[in-house]
């Protein structure tokens, strides 16, 4: 059973959850919203540093991702990747969960090809987020949890739960005895997937490989030459640097070139000391030059992302 929570970090509810996880020595994956990290650095550091739990991406402002332009998808994922990177000693998350489960091939491709993110959904939904709007009740959630937890162990459980309010956290706490009574092996989502929670570190306490060592250096993307031959004119929307890379370098792919662009944001960040409780807030004080680089990066990606679709 993969243990994970969405929408944190938040005052009160997240603290209540983290204290329970700590008391029960339970590791979890937290799909965090970027602005919540910015506004609640103490809760963030409790999850990352005290619990040493897995930190994952849940976008910057929790939008419906399939309604966004390519550029807005990049911003939602990119800003969240950056604040996590800057607040965890340079770690690059490996997993993200789309808000409302709203994703498609286009959004998944941007997440994977540009940021190296793996999309995580769920196989059971408590709908606990709707407790505050009377969309569901604690009785209904308890009944559903009992059904799932007393049911088959195969293929396993990945239940959608939230650290959104004290009530949503209480639903997990109430289900805990049933989880243990039925012999579930409770692990984080990253452990369930059989890998590390980060692209460049095995855990929230393990060694970190600098981002510059795992992503390619930034490459400028040139527009296709106007003198292209007729045989290549049909792919004129593909930048020449991409077409040449895929045709002349057997080991270089559109994926590796696209992922290299991540370094423009990540490598220009100073990365505050993760031991500081204000590190999440400090990560937003990067220089104007860095921000200028970010927008240059986005402009380049406006060319690259459509090209990925042509190449695929």
């Amino acid at each position: 059973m993969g243990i994970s929570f969405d929408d944190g970090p938040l005052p009160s509810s997240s603290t209540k959850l983290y204290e329970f996880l700590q008391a029960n020595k339970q590791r979890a994956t937290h799909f965090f919203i970027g602005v919540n990290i910015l506004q609640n650095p103490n809760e963030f550091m409790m999850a990352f540093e005290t619990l040493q739990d897995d930190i994952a991406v849940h976008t910057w402002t929790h939008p419906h991702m399939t309604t966004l332009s390519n550029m807005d998808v990049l911003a939602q994922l990119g800003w969240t990747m950056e604040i996590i990177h800057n607040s965890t000693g340079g770690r690059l998350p490996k997993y993200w969960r789309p808000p409302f489960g709203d994703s498609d091939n286009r959004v998944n491709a941007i997440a994977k090809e540009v940021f190296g993110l793996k999309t995580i959904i769920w196989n059971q939904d408590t709908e606990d987020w709707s407790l505050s709007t009377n969309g569901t009740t604690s009785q209904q959630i308890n009944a559903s949890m009992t059904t799932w937890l007393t049911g088959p162990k195969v293929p396993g459980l990945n239940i959608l739960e939230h650290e959104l309010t004290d009530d949503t956290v209480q639903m997990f706490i109430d289900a805990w005895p049933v989880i243990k009574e039925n012999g579930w092996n409770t692990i984080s989502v990253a452990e369930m997937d059989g890998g590390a929670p980060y692209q460049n570190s095995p855990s929230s306490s393990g060694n970190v490989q600098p981002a510059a060592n795992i992503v390619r250096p930034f490459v400028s993307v040139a527009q296709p030459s106007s003198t292209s031959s007729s045989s290549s004119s049909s792919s004129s929307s593909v930048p020449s640097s991409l077409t040449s890379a895929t045709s002349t370098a057997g080991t270089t792919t559109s994926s590796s070139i696209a992922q290299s662009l991540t370094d423009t944001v990540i490598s220009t960040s100073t990365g505050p000391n993760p031991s500081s409780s204000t590190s999440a807030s400090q990560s937003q004080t990067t220089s104007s030059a860095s921000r200028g680089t970010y927008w240059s990066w986005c402009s380049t990606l406006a060319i690259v992302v459509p090209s990925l679709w042509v190449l695929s």
Side-chain angles (χ1 to χ4, degrees), residues 98-203:
F100 316 102
D102 181 43
S103 192
D104 57 17
N105 288 340
R106 174 182 67 95
V107 174
N108 289 344
I110 294 173
K112 178 182 177 182
E113 302 295 342
V114 178
F115 297 107
L117 289 168
K118 187 169 186 176
T119 305
I120 300 293
I121 309 293
W122 53 85
N123 63 4
Q124 298 293 352
D125 184 358
T126 62
E127 298 186 6
D128 58 354
W129 59 269
S130 66
L131 277 167
S132 59
T133 60
N134 298 318
T136 190
T137 65
S138 58
Q139 292 81 7
Q140 288 174 312
I141 293 175
N142 285 332
S144 295
M145 290 290 276
T146 300
T147 298
W148 303 329
L149 295 170
T150 58
K153 295 292 194 299
V154 177
L157 286 173
N158 184 7
I159 301 174
L160 179 62
E161 298 183 85
H162 296 77
E163 53 189 271
L164 188 60
T165 66
D166 286 352
D167 288 340
T168 63
V169 171
Q170 190 62 47
M171 292 296 92
F172 172 74
I173 294 174
D174 289 347
W176 185 254
V178 186
I179 293 172
K180 289 306 175 182
E181 286 168 7
N182 285 275
W184 287 94
N185 177 27
T186 50
I187 54 179
S188 73
V189 167
E191 291 174 304
M192 195 180 205
D193 190 48
Y198 305 103
Q199 299 178 48
N200 61 338
S201 179
S203 67

Side-chain angles (χ1 to χ4, degrees), residues 218-266:
F218 177 77
V219 293
S220 52
V221 180
Q223 293 285 3
S225 170
S226 60
T227 59
S228 299
S229 65
S230 58
S231 63
S232 63
S233 62
S234 62
S235 61
S236 60
S237 62
V238 182
S240 58
S241 61
L242 285 182
T243 56
S244 61
T246 55
S247 62
T248 62
T251 59
T252 304
T253 66
S254 59
S255 173
S256 63
I257 293 175
Q259 187 173 354
S260 74
L261 303 179
T262 312
D263 196 35
T264 310
V265 170
I266 293 174

Side-chain angles (χ1 to χ4, degrees), residues 29 34 44 73 92 185 195 218 256 259 279:
T29 299
F44 175 83
V73 171
L92 299 175
N185 177 27
F218 177 77
S256 63
Q259 187 173 354
S279 61

